[in-house]
Amino acid sequence: MKRITLILIALALVLTIVITGCKKEEEIAKGPIVLAQGKPEIDEQLKAYAAQWSEATGIEVTIKSCGGGSCDLGQMLKADYAAGEMPDIFAINGPQDFLEWQSIVLDVSGEPWVKDTSVAFTYEGKTYGFPVAVEGWGMAYNADVLAEADVDPKSLVNLAGYRDAFAKIDAMKADLGLDSVVSMAAGPEMGWVTAHHNFNSLLSNGLDYGDTSAADNLLAGKVDAKRLAEYADWVELLFQYADKAVLTTGNYDAQVGAFATGKAAFLHQGNWVDGNLAGAGANFDVAFAPHGSMEAATEGIFVSAPSFYVVNSESKNTDAALQFLTDLAGTEAGANYMVNEAGMIPAFSNINLNPSGKLSKSVQEWAAMGKVYSWNQYLFSGEFRDQTLAPIYNQFANGAISKARFVDLMTEAFKSL
Amino acid sequence: MEKTRENRIVFWLFLAPVLFAFLMVVVVPFFMGIFYSFTSWSSSARVGGGLSFIGLTNFTESLTDPSFLYSFILTFIYTAINVLAINIVSFALALLVTSAIKGRNIYRVGFFLPNLIGGLILGYVWQFIFNNAIPGLGKAWAFLAPLANPDYLILADRNASVLALVLVGTWQYAGYIMMIYVAALESVPVELHEAARIDGAGGWLRLKNITIPMVAQAFTITMFLTLVNSFKQFDVNVSLTAGGPSTMFLGKPIFGTELLALDIYNTAFLANNLAQGQARAFIFFIVLVVISIVQVRTSKKREVEL
């Protein structure tokens, strides 16, 4: 009896070894792959698409979403890298992120989707990143309120235009049912609105698409005093007409919520709030107006494909990873996921679908007219924006410092670079 | 002889799993961390990155960084206020729930409950209270109108935010410390109080001369726990104030309520400087060890043995 048990156990052992051995060989051929991305809002849709793709190809895909306030993708990637579990595909934002991972990012110049996009991530002539989506921001406005206040959105192209419009709407706040003119946030968690997005007005407003001269000068410590002074006026204007509670302590929900419920005429956010507006049941017309950070008219909004999927060159499954990206851009199912499910503006010319979000449509309209300015904030390190600039904006918003001091501190910050 | 040897083997066998876990998750990472704090390690695939020894650079840079120094000072201030607040509140609560009041078991549970809520969630709950509920009160009742004035928002002011951290920290932790005091108070012999009462000692005299010396042991523990916990405060800090509002220190704009743990975290993960974060954590560790030893020694002197 004992002997039989022993034999059985031995047999079972051998069998498991054989089975696992076979399975391993299979795995080398295809997958499984892991994709790490930073947009929790599309997590569900992406997982659904990945499951659909797995079914079609037999390659398993795991999606790891990490972003928003509670999770930091860069941090997760570092932990994974230290643990030797770097995902096969991961998302990066712009050149600073790319440099962080440069030695393990695969050159994808030869992929079929490259010819269909003009916004892939390139570095020194080679293509490295698959553009996730086209995104844009300007001043989102409630068209119904503007019409009621008799403000022409076409006048919103410079400081003077915004000064008049803000003053006019501010005087009619009670009639329009508004709490404040503009929904702006500069609280401690909202540094990305001020020190990333708003900051970009200083870097690229009014310049040709792809012109980084203003940013380069600041990076070299050369400050254009006139440009900075006008920009400070713009920041002051936004802060002055904002709801102070939302401005100093509000979070993303408070900021977007004020606009979605019709309590603010303008919102300083991008087309990603489409989902939030729909979720809040906002039924008014919205569109983007250009930022008014200069006295000169600047007719255009900030549009870019800021986030890219890159393939880990050290992965054993690069073939499967490349196939995943190729299918994402090249198949109907991929296009359907990007545009209809996730509501993103596709970065590929072979995709003819259009997102249904009103702000996304507005971004597409501006882009179709060619009236777009770059996103240059990623030329500055995350540390500089979050740890140095964000506290300056926050103090200005709290009223702790004057506009002159704001300009001084910004100047000092650039000189210290 | 044979028996003791067997016993010893069994002893180590039983200890082995725990010892192994302790080695792997505490001892090894600790020394690896010290090692990394002398390098330029950043756990990224930067070209020309990798690991190189840079001596004490991480330490000197940390000690000259205004935001680190500010966090150090702020953490000391926060700890001082927090230790006092928690201990006074929890001792008072312990006296209350060991007295003869009705429903004291319900009070015990009630005061302890906040401790069961995670610090992150608690921070968000209180953030909502400070940012929405309190101004909401001001809007609802005219006589509370100043509360609705955005100029008086608690989390928009640096000093008030620090006190808000103390308030939430106390609310969370007082119940736990109260339980330790309750245990100590209940072990004070009733005879002592009876004898003192016969001699004509009032409530205050008995508290000062009998209760407090008799629970001095508990003070050693609670002071240690509250001290270390206040020093390591992180989750409530992240979720309640996120380091804001900003302020100026040594001519540099910095976050005004960034305690040490949060500063270390931000250095490591926001500034992408893991090795320097590790160096700061090591400095933090040394300071914490020194302070705890001093505190335990001084408290021990006051303990009374029966």
Side-chain angles (χ1 to χ4, degrees), chain B residues 65-144:
Chain B
D65 178 7
S67 81
F68 186 61
L69 297 178
Y70 178 86
S71 293
F72 233 112
I73 298 168
L74 182 74
T75 307
F76 271 99
I77 297 170
Y78 167 79
T79 304
I81 308 175
N82 207 31
V83 165
L84 268 179
I86 293 181
N87 281 292
I88 291 171
V89 170
S90 55
F91 192 68
L93 291 179
L95 286 176
L96 181 76
V97 301
T98 49
S99 66
I101 59 161
K102 263 186 197 163
R104 56 193 186 148
N105 281 334
I106 293 171
Y107 285 121
R108 283 184 197 195
V109 174
F111 294 140
F112 187 73
L113 267 182
N115 197 252
L116 301 176
I117 307 172
L120 267 180
I121 298 166
L122 214 134
Y124 287 123
V125 169
W126 278 90
Q127 191 189 48
F128 176 78
I129 294 177
F130 288 131
N131 285 348
N132 302 72
I134 292 181
L137 285 180
K139 276 175 201 152
W141 287 302
F143 68 98
L144 290 173

Coordinates of all heavy atoms in Angstrom, one line a residue, chain B residues 65-144:
Chain B
D65 N 19.1 71.2 2.2 CA 17.8 71.4 1.4 C 16.8 72.1 2.4 O 16.4 71.5 3.4 CB 17.3 70.1 0.9 CG 16.0 70.3 0.2 OD1 15.6 71.4 0.0 OD2 15.4 69.3 -0.2
P66 N 16.4 73.3 2.0 CA 15.4 74.0 2.9 C 14.2 73.2 3.2 O 13.7 73.2 4.3 CB 15.0 75.3 2.1 CG 16.2 75.5 1.2 CD 16.7 74.1 0.9
S67 N 13.7 72.4 2.2 CA 12.4 71.7 2.5 C 12.6 70.6 3.5 O 11.7 70.3 4.3 CB 11.8 71.2 1.2 OG 12.4 70.0 0.8
F68 N 13.8 70.0 3.5 CA 14.1 68.9 4.5 C 14.2 69.5 5.9 O 13.6 69.0 6.8 CB 15.3 68.2 4.1 CG 15.6 67.0 4.9 CD1 14.7 65.9 5.0 CD2 16.8 66.9 5.7 CE1 15.0 64.8 5.8 CE2 17.1 65.8 6.5 CZ 16.2 64.8 6.5
L69 N 15.0 70.6 5.9 CA 15.1 71.3 7.3 C 13.8 71.7 7.8 O 13.5 71.6 9.0 CB 16.1 72.5 7.1 CG 17.5 72.1 6.7 CD1 18.4 73.3 6.6 CD2 18.1 71.1 7.7
Y70 N 13.0 72.3 6.9 CA 11.7 72.8 7.3 C 10.8 71.6 7.8 O 10.2 71.7 8.9 CB 11.0 73.5 6.2 CG 9.6 73.9 6.5 CD1 9.4 75.2 7.1 CD2 8.5 73.2 6.2 CE1 8.1 75.6 7.4 CE2 7.2 73.6 6.6 CZ 7.0 74.8 7.1 OH 5.8 75.2 7.5
S71 N 10.9 70.5 7.1 CA 10.1 69.3 7.5 C 10.6 68.8 8.9 O 9.8 68.4 9.7 CB 10.2 68.2 6.5 OG 9.6 68.6 5.3
F72 N 11.9 68.9 9.1 CA 12.4 68.5 10.4 C 11.8 69.3 11.5 O 11.3 68.8 12.5 CB 13.9 68.7 10.4 CG 14.7 67.4 10.7 CD1 15.4 66.7 9.8 CD2 14.6 66.9 12.0 CE1 16.1 65.6 10.1 CE2 15.2 65.8 12.4 CZ 16.0 65.1 11.4
I73 N 11.9 70.6 11.4 CA 11.4 71.5 12.4 C 9.9 71.3 12.6 O 9.5 71.2 13.7 CB 11.7 73.0 12.0 CG1 13.2 73.2 11.9 CG2 11.1 74.0 13.0 CD1 13.6 74.5 11.3
L74 N 9.2 71.3 11.5 CA 7.8 71.1 11.5 C 7.4 69.8 12.2 O 6.5 69.8 13.1 CB 7.2 71.2 10.1 CG 5.7 71.1 10.1 CD1 5.1 72.4 10.5 CD2 5.2 70.7 8.7
T75 N 8.1 68.8 12.0 CA 7.8 67.5 12.6 C 8.0 67.5 14.1 O 7.2 67.0 14.8 CB 8.7 66.4 11.9 OG1 8.5 66.4 10.5 CG2 8.2 65.0 12.4
F76 N 9.1 68.2 14.5 CA 9.3 68.4 16.0 C 8.1 69.1 16.6 O 7.6 68.7 17.6 CB 10.6 69.1 16.2 CG 11.8 68.2 16.3 CD1 12.6 68.0 15.3 CD2 12.0 67.5 17.5 CE1 13.7 67.1 15.3 CE2 13.1 66.6 17.6 CZ 13.9 66.4 16.5
I77 N 7.7 70.2 16.0 CA 6.6 71.0 16.5 C 5.3 70.2 16.6 O 4.6 70.1 17.6 CB 6.4 72.3 15.7 CG1 7.6 73.2 15.8 CG2 5.2 73.1 16.2 CD1 7.6 74.3 14.8
Y78 N 5.1 69.6 15.4 CA 3.9 68.7 15.3 C 3.9 67.6 16.4 O 2.9 67.4 17.0 CB 3.8 68.1 13.9 CG 2.8 67.0 13.8 CD1 1.4 67.3 13.6 CD2 3.1 65.7 13.8 CE1 0.5 66.3 13.5 CE2 2.2 64.7 13.7 CZ 0.9 65.0 13.6 OH -0.1 64.0 13.5
T79 N 5.0 67.0 16.5 CA 5.1 65.9 17.5 C 4.8 66.4 18.9 O 4.1 65.8 19.7 CB 6.5 65.2 17.4 OG1 6.7 64.8 16.1 CG2 6.6 64.0 18.4
A80 N 5.4 67.5 19.3 CA 5.3 68.1 20.6 C 3.8 68.3 20.9 O 3.2 67.9 21.9 CB 6.1 69.3 20.8
I81 N 3.1 69.0 20.0 CA 1.7 69.3 20.2 C 0.9 68.0 20.2 O 0.0 67.8 21.0 CB 1.2 70.2 19.1 CG1 2.1 71.5 18.9 CG2 -0.3 70.7 19.4 CD1 1.7 72.4 17.8
N82 N 1.2 67.1 19.2 CA 0.4 65.9 19.1 C 0.5 65.0 20.3 O -0.5 64.5 20.8 CB 0.8 65.2 17.8 CG -0.3 64.4 17.2 OD1 -1.4 64.7 17.3 ND2 0.1 63.3 16.6
V83 N 1.7 64.8 20.8 CA 1.9 63.9 22.0 C 1.1 64.5 23.1 O 0.4 63.7 23.8 CB 3.4 63.8 22.3 CG1 3.6 63.2 23.7 CG2 4.1 63.0 21.2
L84 N 1.3 65.8 23.4 CA 0.5 66.4 24.5 C -1.0 66.2 24.3 O -1.7 65.7 25.2 CB 0.8 67.9 24.5 CG 2.0 68.3 25.4 CD1 2.1 69.8 25.3 CD2 1.7 67.9 26.9
A85 N -1.5 66.6 23.1 CA -2.9 66.5 22.8 C -3.4 65.1 23.0 O -4.4 64.9 23.7 CB -3.2 67.0 21.4
I86 N -2.8 64.1 22.4 CA -3.3 62.7 22.5 C -3.3 62.3 23.9 O -4.3 61.7 24.4 CB -2.4 61.8 21.6 CG1 -2.6 62.1 20.1 CG2 -2.8 60.3 21.9 CD1 -1.8 61.2 19.2
N87 N -2.2 62.5 24.6 CA -2.1 62.0 26.0 C -3.1 62.6 26.9 O -3.7 61.9 27.8 CB -0.7 62.1 26.5 CG 0.2 60.9 25.9 OD1 0.0 59.8 26.2 ND2 1.1 61.3 25.0
I88 N -3.2 63.9 26.8 CA -4.2 64.6 27.7 C -5.6 64.1 27.4 O -6.4 63.7 28.3 CB -4.1 66.1 27.5 CG1 -2.8 66.6 28.1 CG2 -5.3 66.8 28.2 CD1 -2.5 68.1 27.8
V89 N -6.0 64.1 26.1 CA -7.3 63.7 25.7 C -7.6 62.2 26.1 O -8.6 61.9 26.7 CB -7.5 63.8 24.2 CG1 -8.8 63.2 23.8 CG2 -7.6 65.3 23.9
S90 N -6.6 61.3 25.8 CA -6.8 59.9 26.1 C -6.8 59.6 27.6 O -7.6 58.8 28.1 CB -5.8 59.0 25.4 OG -4.5 59.4 25.7
F91 N -6.0 60.4 28.4 CA -6.1 60.1 29.8 C -7.4 60.6 30.4 O -8.0 59.9 31.2 CB -4.9 60.9 30.5 CG -4.7 60.5 31.9 CD1 -4.2 59.2 32.2 CD2 -4.9 61.4 33.0 CE1 -4.0 58.8 33.5 CE2 -4.7 61.0 34.3 CZ -4.3 59.7 34.6
A92 N -7.8 61.7 29.9 CA -9.1 62.2 30.4 C -10.3 61.3 30.0 O -11.1 60.9 30.8 CB -9.4 63.6 29.7
L93 N -10.2 60.7 28.8 CA -11.2 59.8 28.3 C -11.1 58.5 29.2 O -12.1 57.9 29.6 CB -11.0 59.4 26.9 CG -11.3 60.5 25.8 CD1 -11.0 60.0 24.4 CD2 -12.7 60.9 26.0
A94 N -9.9 58.1 29.5 CA -9.7 56.9 30.3 C -10.3 57.1 31.7 O -11.0 56.2 32.2 CB -8.2 56.5 30.4
L95 N -10.1 58.2 32.3 CA -10.6 58.5 33.6 C -12.2 58.5 33.5 O -12.8 57.9 34.4 CB -10.2 59.9 34.1 CG -8.8 60.0 34.6 CD1 -8.4 61.4 35.0 CD2 -8.5 59.1 35.8
L96 N -12.7 59.0 32.4 CA -14.1 59.1 32.2 C -14.7 57.6 32.2 O -15.7 57.3 32.8 CB -14.5 59.8 31.0 CG -15.9 60.0 30.6 CD1 -16.6 61.1 31.5 CD2 -16.1 60.4 29.2
V97 N -14.1 56.8 31.3 CA -14.7 55.5 31.1 C -14.4 54.5 32.2 O -14.9 53.4 32.2 CB -14.3 54.9 29.7 CG1 -14.8 55.8 28.6 CG2 -12.9 54.6 29.6
T98 N -13.5 54.9 33.2 CA -13.3 54.0 34.3 C -14.0 54.5 35.5 O -14.0 53.9 36.6 CB -11.8 53.9 34.7 OG1 -11.2 55.2 34.8 CG2 -11.0 53.1 33.7
S99 N -14.7 55.7 35.4 CA -15.5 56.2 36.5 C -16.8 55.5 36.5 O -17.1 54.6 35.6 CB -15.7 57.7 36.3 OG -16.5 57.9 35.2
A100 N -17.7 55.9 37.3 CA -19.0 55.1 37.5 C -20.1 55.6 36.6 O -21.3 55.3 36.8 CB -19.4 55.2 38.9
I101 N -19.7 56.2 35.5 CA -20.8 56.8 34.6 C -21.6 55.6 33.9 O -21.0 54.6 33.7 CB -20.3 57.8 33.6 CG1 -19.3 57.1 32.6 CG2 -19.9 59.0 34.2 CD1 -19.1 57.9 31.4
K102 N -22.8 55.9 33.5 CA -23.6 54.9 32.8 C -23.1 54.7 31.4 O -22.7 55.6 30.8 CB -25.1 55.4 32.8 CG -25.9 54.9 33.9 CD -27.4 55.3 33.7 CE -28.1 55.1 35.0 NZ -29.4 55.9 35.0
G103 N -23.3 53.5 30.9 CA -22.9 53.1 29.6 C -21.5 53.3 29.2 O -21.1 53.7 28.1
R104 N -20.6 53.0 30.2 CA -19.2 53.3 29.9 C -18.6 52.4 28.9 O -17.7 52.7 28.2 CB -18.4 53.3 31.2 CG -18.5 52.0 32.0 CD -17.9 52.2 33.3 NE -17.9 50.9 34.0 CZ -17.0 50.5 34.9 NH1 -16.1 51.3 35.2 NH2 -17.1 49.3 35.4
N105 N -19.2 51.2 28.8 CA -18.7 50.3 27.7 C -18.9 50.8 26.3 O -18.1 50.6 25.4 CB -19.3 48.9 27.9 CG -18.6 48.1 29.0 OD1 -17.4 48.4 29.3 ND2 -19.3 47.2 29.6
I106 N -20.1 51.4 26.2 CA -20.4 52.0 24.9 C -19.4 53.1 24.6 O -18.9 53.2 23.5 CB -21.9 52.5 24.9 CG1 -22.8 51.4 25.0 CG2 -22.2 53.4 23.6 CD1 -24.3 51.7 25.2
Y107 N -19.1 53.9 25.6 CA -18.1 55.0 25.4 C -16.8 54.4 25.0 O -16.1 54.9 24.1 CB -18.0 55.8 26.7 CG -19.1 56.8 26.9 CD1 -19.9 56.7 28.1 CD2 -19.4 57.7 26.0 CE1 -20.9 57.5 28.3 CE2 -20.5 58.6 26.2 CZ -21.3 58.5 27.4 OH -22.3 59.3 27.6
R108 N -16.4 53.3 25.7 CA -15.1 52.7 25.3 C -15.0 52.4 23.9 O -14.1 52.7 23.2 CB -14.9 51.5 26.2 CG -14.5 51.8 27.6 CD -14.2 50.6 28.4 NE -14.2 50.9 29.8 CZ -13.7 50.1 30.7 NH1 -13.1 48.9 30.4 NH2 -13.7 50.5 32.0
V109 N -16.1 51.7 23.4 CA -16.1 51.3 22.0 C -16.1 52.5 21.1 O -15.4 52.6 20.1 CB -17.4 50.4 21.7 CG1 -17.5 50.1 20.3 CG2 -17.3 49.1 22.6
G110 N -17.0 53.4 21.5 CA -17.1 54.7 20.6 C -15.8 55.4 20.5 O -15.4 55.8 19.4
F111 N -15.1 55.6 21.6 CA -13.8 56.3 21.5 C -12.8 55.5 20.7 O -11.8 56.1 20.2 CB -13.3 56.7 22.9 CG -14.2 57.6 23.6 CD1 -14.4 57.5 25.0 CD2 -14.7 58.7 23.0 CE1 -15.3 58.4 25.7 CE2 -15.6 59.6 23.6 CZ -15.8 59.4 25.0
F112 N -12.9 54.2 20.8 CA -11.8 53.4 20.1 C -12.1 53.3 18.6 O -11.1 53.1 17.9 CB -11.8 52.0 20.8 CG -10.7 51.1 20.3 CD1 -9.4 51.4 20.7 CD2 -11.0 50.1 19.4 CE1 -8.4 50.6 20.2 CE2 -9.9 49.3 18.9 CZ -8.6 49.5 19.4
L113 N -13.3 53.4 18.2 CA -13.7 53.1 16.8 C -12.9 53.9 15.8 O -12.4 53.3 14.8 CB -15.2 53.4 16.6 CG -16.1 52.2 16.7 CD1 -17.5 52.6 16.4 CD2 -15.7 51.1 15.8
P114 N -12.6 55.2 15.9 CA -11.8 55.9 14.9 C -10.5 55.2 14.6 O -10.0 55.3 13.5 CB -11.6 57.3 15.5 CG -12.7 57.5 16.5 CD -13.0 56.1 17.0
N115 N -10.0 54.5 15.6 CA -8.7 53.8 15.3 C -8.8 52.7 14.4 O -7.8 52.3 13.8 CB -8.2 53.3 16.7 CG -6.7 53.0 16.6 OD1 -6.3 51.8 16.6 ND2 -5.9 54.0 16.5
L116 N -10.0 52.3 14.1 CA -10.2 51.1 13.2 C -10.3 51.6 11.7 O -10.3 50.8 10.8 CB -11.4 50.3 13.6 CG -11.4 49.7 15.0 CD1 -12.7 49.0 15.3 CD2 -10.3 48.8 15.1
I117 N -10.4 52.9 11.6 CA -10.5 53.5 10.2 C -9.1 53.8 9.7 O -8.3 54.3 10.4 CB -11.4 54.7 10.2 CG1 -12.7 54.5 10.8 CG2 -11.6 55.2 8.7 CD1 -13.5 55.8 11.0
G118 N -8.8 53.4 8.5 CA -7.5 53.7 7.9 C -7.2 55.2 7.8 O -8.1 56.0 7.6
G119 N -6.0 55.5 8.1 CA -5.6 56.9 8.1 C -5.9 57.7 6.8 O -6.3 58.8 6.8
L120 N -5.7 57.0 5.7 CA -5.9 57.7 4.4 C -7.4 58.1 4.3 O -7.7 59.2 4.0 CB -5.6 56.7 3.2 CG -4.2 56.8 2.7 CD1 -4.1 55.8 1.5 CD2 -3.9 58.2 2.2
I121 N -8.3 57.1 4.6 CA -9.7 57.4 4.5 C -10.1 58.5 5.4 O -10.8 59.4 5.1 CB -10.5 56.1 4.8 CG1 -10.1 55.0 3.7 CG2 -12.0 56.4 4.8 CD1 -10.6 53.7 4.1
L122 N -9.6 58.4 6.6 CA -9.9 59.3 7.7 C -9.5 60.7 7.2 O -10.2 61.7 7.5 CB -9.0 58.9 8.9 CG -9.6 59.2 10.2 CD1 -9.4 57.9 11.0 CD2 -8.9 60.3 10.8
G123 N -8.3 60.8 6.6 CA -7.8 62.1 6.1 C -8.8 62.7 5.1 O -9.1 63.9 5.1
Y124 N -9.3 61.9 4.2 CA -10.2 62.4 3.2 C -11.6 62.8 3.8 O -12.2 63.8 3.4 CB -10.4 61.3 2.1 CG -9.2 61.2 1.1 CD1 -8.6 60.0 0.9 CD2 -8.8 62.3 0.5 CE1 -7.5 59.9 0.1 CE2 -7.7 62.2 -0.4 CZ -7.0 61.0 -0.5 OH -6.0 60.9 -1.4
V125 N -12.0 62.0 4.8 CA -13.2 62.3 5.5 C -13.1 63.7 6.1 O -14.0 64.5 6.0 CB -13.6 61.2 6.5 CG1 -14.7 61.7 7.4 CG2 -13.9 59.9 5.9
W126 N -12.0 63.9 6.8 CA -11.8 65.2 7.5 C -11.6 66.3 6.5 O -12.0 67.4 6.8 CB -10.7 65.1 8.5 CG -11.2 64.5 9.8 CD1 -11.3 63.2 10.2 CD2 -11.8 65.2 10.9 NE1 -11.8 63.0 11.4 CE2 -12.2 64.2 11.9 CE3 -12.1 66.5 11.2 CZ2 -12.8 64.6 13.1 CZ3 -12.7 66.9 12.4 CH2 -13.0 65.9 13.3
Q127 N -11.0 66.0 5.4 CA -10.8 67.0 4.4 C -12.1 67.5 3.9 O -12.4 68.7 3.8 CB -10.0 66.5 3.2 CG -9.5 67.5 2.2 CD -9.0 66.9 1.0 OE1 -9.5 66.0 0.4 NE2 -7.8 67.4 0.6
F128 N -13.1 66.6 3.8 CA -14.4 66.9 3.4 C -15.1 67.8 4.5 O -15.7 68.8 4.2 CB -15.2 65.7 3.1 CG -16.7 65.9 2.8 CD1 -17.0 66.4 1.5 CD2 -17.6 65.8 3.8 CE1 -18.4 66.6 1.2 CE2 -19.0 66.1 3.5 CZ -19.3 66.5 2.2
I129 N -14.9 67.4 5.7 CA -15.4 68.2 6.8 C -14.9 69.6 6.9 O -15.7 70.6 6.9 CB -15.2 67.5 8.2 CG1 -15.9 66.1 8.2 CG2 -15.6 68.4 9.4 CD1 -15.6 65.3 9.5
F130 N -13.6 69.7 6.7 CA -13.0 71.1 6.8 C -13.4 71.9 5.6 O -13.6 73.1 5.7 CB -11.5 71.0 6.9 CG -11.0 70.5 8.2 CD1 -10.1 69.5 8.3 CD2 -11.5 71.1 9.4 CE1 -9.6 69.0 9.6 CE2 -11.0 70.6 10.6 CZ -10.1 69.6 10.7
N131 N -13.4 71.3 4.4 CA -13.6 72.1 3.2 C -15.0 72.2 2.8 O -15.4 73.2 2.1 CB -12.9 71.4 2.0 CG -11.4 71.5 2.0 OD1 -10.9 72.4 2.8 ND2 -10.7 70.8 1.2
N132 N -15.9 71.3 3.2 CA -17.3 71.4 2.7 C -18.3 71.5 3.9 O -19.1 72.4 3.9 CB -17.6 70.2 1.9 CG -16.7 70.1 0.7 OD1 -15.6 69.7 0.8 ND2 -17.3 70.4 -0.5
A133 N -18.1 70.6 4.9 CA -19.1 70.6 5.9 C -19.1 71.8 6.8 O -20.2 72.4 7.1 CB -18.9 69.3 6.8
I134 N -17.9 72.3 7.2 CA -17.9 73.4 8.1 C -18.3 74.7 7.3 O -19.2 75.4 7.9 CB -16.5 73.6 8.7 CG1 -16.2 72.4 9.7 CG2 -16.3 74.9 9.4 CD1 -14.9 72.4 10.4
P135 N -17.8 75.0 6.1 CA -18.4 76.1 5.4 C -19.9 75.9 5.1 O -20.6 76.9 5.1 CB -17.6 76.1 4.1 CG -16.4 75.4 4.3 CD -16.7 74.4 5.4
G136 N -20.3 74.7 5.0 CA -21.8 74.4 4.8 C -22.6 74.9 6.0 O -23.7 75.5 5.9
L137 N -22.0 74.7 7.2 CA -22.7 75.1 8.4 C -22.9 76.7 8.4 O -23.9 77.2 8.7 CB -21.9 74.8 9.7 CG -21.9 73.3 10.1 CD1 -21.0 73.1 11.4 CD2 -23.3 72.9 10.4
G138 N -21.8 77.3 7.9 CA -21.8 78.8 7.9 C -22.9 79.3 6.9 O -23.5 80.3 7.1
K139 N -23.1 78.5 5.8 CA -24.1 78.9 4.9 C -25.5 78.7 5.4 O -26.4 79.4 5.1 CB -23.9 78.2 3.6 CG -22.9 78.8 2.7 CD -22.6 78.0 1.4 CE -21.3 78.4 0.8 NZ -20.7 77.3 0.1
A140 N -25.6 77.7 6.2 CA -27.0 77.3 6.7 C -27.5 78.2 7.8 O -28.6 78.6 7.9 CB -27.0 75.8 7.2
W141 N -26.6 78.6 8.7 CA -27.0 79.5 9.8 C -26.3 80.8 9.8 O -25.0 80.9 9.7 CB -26.7 78.8 11.2 CG -27.6 77.7 11.4 CD1 -29.0 77.7 11.5 CD2 -27.3 76.3 11.6 NE1 -29.5 76.5 11.7 CE2 -28.5 75.6 11.8 CE3 -26.1 75.6 11.7 CZ2 -28.5 74.2 12.1 CZ3 -26.1 74.3 11.9 CH2 -27.3 73.6 12.1
A142 N -27.0 81.9 9.9 CA -26.5 83.2 9.7 C -25.4 83.5 10.8 O -24.4 84.1 10.6 CB -27.6 84.2 9.8
F143 N -25.7 83.0 12.1 CA -24.8 83.4 13.1 C -23.4 82.6 13.0 O -22.5 83.0 13.7 CB -25.4 83.1 14.5 CG -25.6 81.6 14.8 CD1 -24.7 81.0 15.6 CD2 -26.7 81.0 14.3 CE1 -24.9 79.6 15.9 CE2 -26.9 79.6 14.6 CZ -26.0 79.0 15.4
L144 N -23.3 81.7 12.1 CA -22.1 81.0 11.9 C -21.4 81.4 10.5 O -20.5 80.8 10.0 CB -22.3 79.5 11.8 CG -22.6 78.8 13.1 CD1 -22.9 77.3 12.9 CD2 -21.4 78.9 14.1

